[in-house]
Amino acid sequence: MTQGGLPERFDILVHPARELRGELRAQPSKNYTTRYLLAAALAQGETRVVGVATSEDAEAMIRCLRDWGAGVELVGEDAVVRGFGAHPRPGITLNPGNAGAVARFLMGVAALTEDTTFVTDYADSLGRRPQGDLLEALERLGARVTSRDGKLPITISGPVRDGLVQVSAERSSQYASALMFLAPLLQGGLDLRLTGDIKSHAPLRQTLDTLAAFGVTASASDDLSRVSIPGGQTYRAGRVLVPGDYPGSAAILAAAALLPGEVTVTNLRANDLQGEREAVDVLRGMGADIVREGDRVTVRGGRPLHGVTRDGDGFTDAVQALTAAAASAQGTTTWENVETLRLKECDRISDTRRELERLGVTAGETQDSLTVTGTSRIAGGITADGHGDHRMIMLLTLLGLRAEAPIRITGAHHIRKSYPGFFRHLEELGARFEYAETEAR
């Protein structure tokens, strides 16, 4: 049994819910936790990261940083990090599990080492995700790289030179963020030119925000196509506070909008740089009754929703949760400019369309969009495939809460990747689940 008394691996049976009611504190941000932990390791001295996420991504970052030589001690809800500065251990094999952002951030920093190798236990997920754009940029800086056609396993060796480098931001912003973490520790820094149609501006701004929190100077153009980070800098140790997590909270807020009742989520900063903050406005635009008071967001659920058309690139990690709202809305909803969803733990466009259709929801897709036509009735009574994807599991859970009969979701333990307390939080609001232990597949 694992933390919270749940099996290591389990399917979940989601029962229909009559209402959701109560107040929750948003879990700490997964994206800020991993960034702060890495920056703390790149500092010399001791940093206290206050309120770290307990997700598998955070665990993966901690595991890899320890392997590289950082001291990381968990003290209550905080992490105390003794950094290795610009000198991670050479010749180490790092296993980031299924954490794509963690892997990429560390690949950039690996240019400070000799013979750092990246492997994964998730050959069919992270093992299939492309890393070539980042590897090519590192090679242009002089790194020696070996890989399996741009995919894991990957070995990276420095040193690298400073100066101007181009990196594609067409498929992911994480490649540029990886170089941004590396840049201040090079003698002359880096002038980054982000090429292609830049995706996910918000995570790039989170990385710049992280650098600033650790005393690193950087500048960027308004469109983020140019980022300049002077060299010869050091990350400053100290104390940082992790904000609340908008991507996971978007699922709670969407669930609250779908069912009668009243739900308040606290610890959600109004001026946060997480792009998924936009989920509040999207739900409001769909007709949900949402009120913000400071860092408190309250949803009075059960109001009729209607379809919208939105560019989803800025809130990609909330698209799955908002799709559950779209499946219940009158009319058609289209998420445009979301091609990067195809490169996540699963293909979050095609796989989502198929799961929706199995539940009787009309859906369609193009290469870079997902369209959903809402329905007043979801029969349920089926087994849905969680696809090993935490965001897909959230979507299917929300659909199960408003179905007429229970829905079983396979591989529900993968929720731990980003939101280990997701089911417990919903239970506190009135949801009911059954957990069925499963064997490794």
Side-chain angles (χ1 to χ4, degrees), residues 5 61 220 278 300 365 395 438:
M61 179 64 84
E278 192 175 346
R300 299 178 182 91
E365 65 175 285
L395 162 63
T438 60

Side-chain angles (χ1 to χ4, degrees), residues 102-316:
V102 171
R104 289 163 177 169
F105 295 166
L106 296 176
M107 286 179 198
V109 176
L112 298 171
T113 74
E114 289 285 328
D115 295 324
T116 293
T117 298
F118 295 86
V119 299
T120 180
D121 299 327
Y122 293 82
D124 292 333
S125 185
L126 181 57
R128 292 184 175 181
R129 295 170 70 175
Q131 318 297 340
D133 292 335
L134 173 58
L135 301 182
E136 290 170 9
L138 289 172
E139 287 179 316
R140 285 193 289 270
L141 289 170
R144 291 182 289 111
V145 176
T146 59
S147 71
R148 182 179 55 83
D149 192 27
K151 299 174 182 176
L152 273 65
I154 293 168
T155 299
I156 298 172
S157 292
V160 292
R161 56 182 172 270
D162 45 37
L164 176 68
V165 65
Q166 292 186 349
V167 61
S168 173
E170 187 82 33
R171 291 193 283 189
S172 175
S173 67
Q174 294 166 2
Y175 308 136
S177 284
L179 297 173
M180 289 159 64
F181 281 113
L182 168 68
L185 299 176
L186 301 179
Q187 183 175 355
L190 289 176
D191 288 316
L192 301 178
R193 300 294 183 267
L194 279 60
T195 62
D197 181 14
I198 299 174
K199 301 297 183 185
S200 305
H201 288 71
L204 290 170
R205 298 192 190 281
Q206 291 168 38
T207 301
L208 288 168
D209 189 43
T210 298
L211 296 181
F214 283 80
V216 172
T217 298
S219 60
S221 61
D222 289 343
D223 65 357
L224 296 181
S225 64
R226 301 179 66 174
V227 179
S228 180
I229 303 177
Q233 302 189 69
T234 57
Y235 286 79
R236 183 182 62 219
R239 182 180 184 276
V240 290
L241 173 65
V242 178
D245 182 72
Y246 268 97
S249 296
I252 300 296
L253 297 174
L258 291 175
L259 294 165
E262 182 172 315
V263 173
T264 297
V265 182
T266 67
N267 193 34
L268 291 176
R269 300 186 311 196
N271 61 347
D272 200 281
L273 293 177
Q274 297 172 68
E276 287 73 19
R277 182 187 64 177
E278 192 175 346
V280 174
D281 292 331
V282 174
L283 286 170
R284 186 180 288 121
M286 298 178 79
D289 182 358
I290 298 184
V291 177
R292 175 188 286 280
E293 296 178 343
D295 71 351
R296 298 168 59 87
V297 179
T298 298
V299 182
R300 299 178 182 91
R303 288 184 54 171
L305 303 179
H306 57 79
V308 296
T309 297
R310 296 291 291 262
D311 183 329
D313 180 58
F315 52 90
T316 52

